[in-house]
């Protein structure tokens, strides 16, 4: 019985480690440079999500209804990466994280929260989204429409 418990715990630990290696926000402090490098290496679009999780109701809803759902992490169904950029009001942050987040918000001209900037694997902006009611499928469909529109001949002009 103890062996079975140990195997189960090891399996959970392995899944957690595997998820943190593949996911952009393995911890609450997201590393944009690592995320964009992974997007390029895996040739997958990157969702750069600017969230005010502890003060913006819509950010909280987007995070809980979409990003925190197991279905959203299904790489076989949704072939893009997620990188959360948190703007907390109630939580202390490390200075380098604060600087990274502020610089990214300036670079991408973030004016409201939440804003999800969809980037190509090479880092080019494909479009933007905010909160969409309807959960994972509706949000993922909107992302996929942006990605497909960027690949159409008319968007290249």
């Amino acid at each position: 019985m103890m062996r079975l418990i140990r195997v189960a715990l090891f399996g959970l630990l392995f899944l957690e480690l595997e998820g943190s290696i593949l996911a952009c926000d393995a911890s609450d402090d997201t590393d944009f440079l690592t995320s964009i490098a992974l997007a390029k290496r895996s040739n997958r679009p990157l969702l750069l999500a600017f969230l005010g999780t502890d003060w913006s109701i819509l950010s909280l809803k987007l995070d809980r209804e979409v990003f925190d759902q197991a279905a959203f992490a299904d790489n076989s169904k949704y072939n893009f990466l997620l990188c959360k950029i948190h703007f907390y009001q109630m939580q202390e942050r490390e200075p380098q994280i604060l600087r990274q987040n502020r610089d990214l918000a300036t670079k991408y001209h973030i004016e409201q929260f939440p804003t999800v900037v969809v980037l190509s694997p090479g880092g080019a902006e494909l479009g933007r989204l905010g909160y969409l009611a309807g959960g994972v499928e509706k949000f993922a469909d909107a992302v996929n429409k942006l990605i497909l529109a960027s690949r159409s001949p008319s968007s290249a002009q």
Side-chain angles (χ1 to χ4, degrees), residues 12 18 26 31 34 36 44 47 54 60 71 77 91 130 132:
L12 288 173
E18 180 184 26
D31 183 345
T34 300
I36 197 73
R44 293 164 65 192
L47 308 183
D54 68 349
L60 181 62
K77 189 170 183 180
Q91 195 175 72
L132 296 173

Side-chain angles (χ1 to χ4, degrees), residues 51-105:
L51 303 168
T53 311
D54 68 349
W55 56 271
S56 165
I57 297 298
L58 292 180
S59 291
L60 181 62
K61 288 179 74 148
L62 178 61
D63 203 27
R64 287 189 179 166
E65 293 174 13
V66 177
F67 300 147
D68 287 348
Q69 298 301 311
F72 188 77
D74 183 356
N75 291 340
S76 65
K77 189 170 183 180
Y78 305 115
N79 193 29
F80 36 77
L81 300 170
L82 172 64
C83 182
K84 294 180 186 177
I85 304 298
H86 291 282
F87 287 82
Y88 290 111
Q89 288 185 346
M90 307 296 238
Q91 195 175 72
E92 290 292 320
R93 309 300 281 168
E94 293 182 27
Q96 67 267 22
I97 297 297
L98 289 171
R99 191 175 322 106
Q100 169 198 263
N101 293 359
R102 184 187 64 239
D103 291 349
L104 288 169

Side-chain angles (χ1 to χ4, degrees), residues 96-153:
Q96 67 267 22
I97 297 297
L98 289 171
R99 191 175 322 106
Q100 169 198 263
N101 293 359
R102 184 187 64 239
D103 291 349
L104 288 169
T106 300
K107 176 180 179 177
Y108 291 104
H109 308 286
I110 302 305
E111 297 178 2
Q112 63 186 24
F113 292 85
T115 296
V116 179
V117 180
V118 181
L119 301 174
S120 72
E125 185 173 332
L126 304 178
R128 293 172 180 237
L129 298 167
Y131 170 76
L132 296 173
V136 173
E137 292 217 9
K138 186 165 183 178
F139 187 84
D141 286 345
V143 170
N144 284 326
K145 285 178 185 172
L146 284 174
I147 293 167
L148 288 173
S150 73
R151 294 177 182 162
S152 71

